[in-house]
Amino acid sequence: MIGDEAADVRDALGRVEGEREQVLAKRRAVERFERRVRKLAAQPARATACGTASMPAATRRDAAGGGRRRVRELFAETIRAHSVADGDESEPLSVTIREEFGPEVSAALDSDTGGRFTPAVKEAVVSAAADRKRGLDGMRRALDGEERSLRAALAVLDECEDWLVRADETPLSGLGFDALRRRHEALADRREACDRLVRERQRRLGGATHHTAAVEVDHRLLAAYLYEDRATDYPVLAAATRVDGVCADCQRAVRDHLVRRV
């Protein structure tokens, strides 16, 4: 009997679609953050004589850190919810910023550094946000490619399963010698289709999606990330192997009938 041997592939497709939605939502959040940071006024590296020099020391420190503090607030309002797992609030904000933008930007925005939100710091933050958007764009394109690969695999597997279900409606005992031979050949065609699917999938897993010199996604690592909590890390390979196994069992049964008819 043939069941839904491609169930793992359908599950994988749902996982890819869900991940892409998260990537798109995060990309929008980074874009909002970048747009709002661009509107912030940067501070000169040093206070002018007619600026903050006459202020009390505590007030000067507060004024100096105000820009960096606002950037951290904007990060918390836009990106943080899309970065920490399950909205975990226990992770320090500085850690989340470091994970998204790197240690240099995190250090520049650290509330304990006492530095100003200078044009150089602002440019570093904006540049890091732009880089993050490019990385997310690369991930989205890789997910688009994975979706196409899964849908193509499903088309092959579904055709094989549909044919097997239809063929199973006529018992082998009800077929003549020529009909048995044709069924054996049809099964061989489906096994070859599964074999091609395995080869194509292995080639994909062995490559990477190139977008720019700085952005590429390794397909094998992507698959490991997407399907690590699923029944199998390789849903297409597992499904193709199962369908091929069903076809092989059917072929053996057909050959037994052919031998008896000779």
Side-chain angles (χ1 to χ4, degrees):
M1 289 291 294
I2 182 73
D4 187 3
E5 304 298 338
D8 288 342
V9 182
R10 298 183 215 285
D11 179 69
L13 186 58
R15 175 73 177 88
V16 168
E17 291 170 343
E19 182 67 21
R20 184 172 52 202
E21 286 302 312
Q22 293 180 36
V23 167
L24 291 172
K26 188 172 186 177
R27 210 272 188 193
R28 290 191 293 269
V30 174
E31 188 170 21
R32 287 196 302 272
F33 170 81
E34 180 188 7
R35 186 169 58 248
R36 294 168 72 176
V37 169
R38 287 185 182 276
K39 294 179 180 179
L40 295 179
Q43 300 166 310
R46 294 182 180 179
T48 61
C50 59
T52 61
S54 60
M55 295 180 181
T59 303
R60 290 200 302 271
R61 286 195 298 272
D62 187 64
R68 291 180 295 109
R69 183 168 57 252
R70 182 55 185 150
V71 172
R72 293 195 301 273
E73 291 172 352
L74 290 176
F75 183 95
E77 293 168 7
T78 56
I79 300 174
R80 181 177 173 83
H82 301 279
S83 183
V84 294
D86 301 320
D88 181 13
E89 295 295 330
S90 65
E91 180 177 280
L93 185 61
S94 60
V95 173
T96 312
I97 293 174
R98 183 172 67 244
E99 290 296 317
E100 292 295 336
F101 292 157
E104 292 184 0
V105 170
S106 178
L109 296 176
D110 195 318
S111 59
D112 296 328
T113 59
R116 294 176 175 276
F117 184 59
T118 63
V121 172
K122 178 178 179 179
E123 178 56 32
V125 173
V126 169
S127 178
D131 286 344
R132 194 70 188 94
K133 286 194 303 181
R134 283 192 288 272
L136 291 167
D137 287 341
M139 182 63 165
R140 177 187 56 77
R141 287 190 288 265
L143 290 168
D144 288 345
E146 179 69 358
E147 181 187 15
R148 289 192 295 272
S149 176
L150 292 175
R151 290 193 182 281
L154 271 177
V156 173
L157 296 169
D158 283 347
E159 192 281 331
C160 290
E161 290 191 14
D162 289 345
W163 184 91
L164 286 165
V165 169
R166 292 195 304 272
D168 196 49
E169 294 174 354
T170 304
L172 297 180
S173 58
L175 299 176
F177 185 87
D178 289 341
L180 286 170
R181 182 172 50 79
R182 287 194 297 272
R183 180 169 292 193
H184 192 277
E185 291 172 352
L187 285 163
D189 291 341
R190 270 72 191 178
R191 295 192 68 187
E192 175 58 29
C194 289
D195 186 58
R196 284 197 304 271
L197 179 57
V198 168
R199 292 197 303 270
E200 291 167 2
R201 185 63 177 174
Q202 287 176 330
R203 279 197 297 271
R204 177 173 177 78
L205 291 174
T209 301
H210 298 268
H211 305 298
T212 70
V215 181
E216 64 177 41
V217 178
D218 182 283
H219 293 153
R220 193 174 297 276
L221 294 178
L222 175 64
Y225 162 71
L226 288 171
Y227 313 129
E228 61 182 352
D229 59 345
R230 263 44 185 183
T232 174
D233 289 347
Y234 302 103
V236 172
L237 300 182
T241 299
R242 288 195 296 269
V243 172
D244 178 73
V246 173
C247 290
D249 290 342
C250 291
Q251 273 192 313
R252 282 191 290 272
V254 171
R255 283 198 295 272
D256 288 343
H257 277 264
L258 284 169
V259 169
R260 289 199 294 269
R261 304 293 174 85
V262 175

